[in-house]
Amino acid sequence: MSGDTGTQFFWLASRSVGVVAIVLVSLSVCLGLALAARVGRGPGVAIRVKTMHEALALAGLGAIVLHGALLLGDPYTRPGLSQIAIPFTFHPNPLWTGLGVIAGWLAALITASFYARRWIGVKNWRKLHRLTFAVYALGVGHAVGAGSDIGSPWMIVTLAAAAAPPALLGLIRLQRLAERRAPAQGARGARPERPIAAAPAAERLSAG
């Protein structure tokens, strides 16, 4: 974008807060995966990690809201409230900004589920919680497609640094799930020996 920094303040501020939101969501995903994979066991560790996970999710949601709200003051795009709240209505990038709006609403839904877990049930809560990966993926897509600085080295490094830990912990999680399923499948596949042929033989011996 052209112009001096003063006229670009809201755009630059919104963009900066958006990057912070991606980092916060990434950290929240990391801690969630660490909890699921039971990384770093110890007295009170799980409780502290869970508290940090929830706090990062709240901070990430706050950053997402601020990211959108700052755009209301941008003199170039001049969006209305509906454009930053309704997907695919923001111009000139309706597709990529729409992905960001969807990510924001999903983040709000997932964060609210922290406080509705007892009413929706643990099983439904876990299913809903998996949408955190979608929030992160949509957020990255939004940053890549709608950003004017995606080619900047600092942006590339930031996105790569934010993506690496969730990817690593996700692989650990998948590996442990596979290890848990293997013994269960082996137990289901093993069939007990059927002593059908031995019964008639025992009857013949007793009869003789």
Side-chain angles (χ1 to χ4, degrees):
M1 296 180 65
S2 60
D4 57 37
T5 304
T7 57
Q8 297 184 46
F9 171 78
F10 288 99
W11 172 265
L12 294 173
S14 175
R15 186 65 173 164
S16 300
V17 175
V19 173
V20 171
I22 290 177
V23 174
L24 290 173
V25 172
S26 173
L27 291 173
S28 179
V29 170
C30 287
L31 292 183
L33 286 170
L35 281 171
R38 297 181 181 180
V39 175
R41 300 179 185 179
V45 173
I47 295 176
R48 290 194 294 272
V49 173
K50 182 180 178 181
T51 301
M52 292 177 61
H53 172 56
E54 183 177 345
L56 285 169
L58 285 169
L61 177 60
I64 291 171
V65 172
L66 183 59
H67 168 62
L70 283 168
L71 286 175
L72 294 174
D74 181 46
Y76 292 96
T77 55
R78 297 180 181 274
L81 184 60
S82 62
Q83 288 180 287
I84 64 172
I86 302 174
F88 311 115
T89 60
F90 189 104
H91 294 282
N93 293 311
L95 173 61
W96 299 111
T97 53
L99 297 181
V101 173
I102 293 173
W105 284 115
L106 286 177
L109 181 63
I110 295 167
T111 304
S113 73
F114 279 112
Y115 310 101
R117 183 173 177 174
R118 65 174 64 182
W119 291 285
I120 65 177
V122 175
K123 185 176 181 180
N124 290 328
W125 178 82
R126 286 177 178 171
K127 289 181 179 179
L128 184 61
H129 219 64
R130 291 174 188 149
L131 291 175
T132 305
F133 294 102
V135 173
Y136 180 71
L138 289 170
V140 171
H142 167 68
V144 171
S148 57
D149 49 9
I150 187 56
S152 301
W154 71 268
M155 188 63 169
I156 296 173
V157 171
T158 300
L159 292 178
L168 178 59
L169 287 170
L171 289 174
I172 294 175
R173 173 64 173 162
L174 291 174
Q175 181 183 4
R176 294 194 175 182
L177 285 175
E179 291 173 354
R180 290 179 189 175
R181 288 173 182 171
Q185 291 175 351
R188 286 195 298 268
R191 297 181 178 179
E193 295 182 0
R194 299 172 62 184
I196 297 176
E203 291 175 0
R204 287 195 298 270
L205 288 174
S206 61

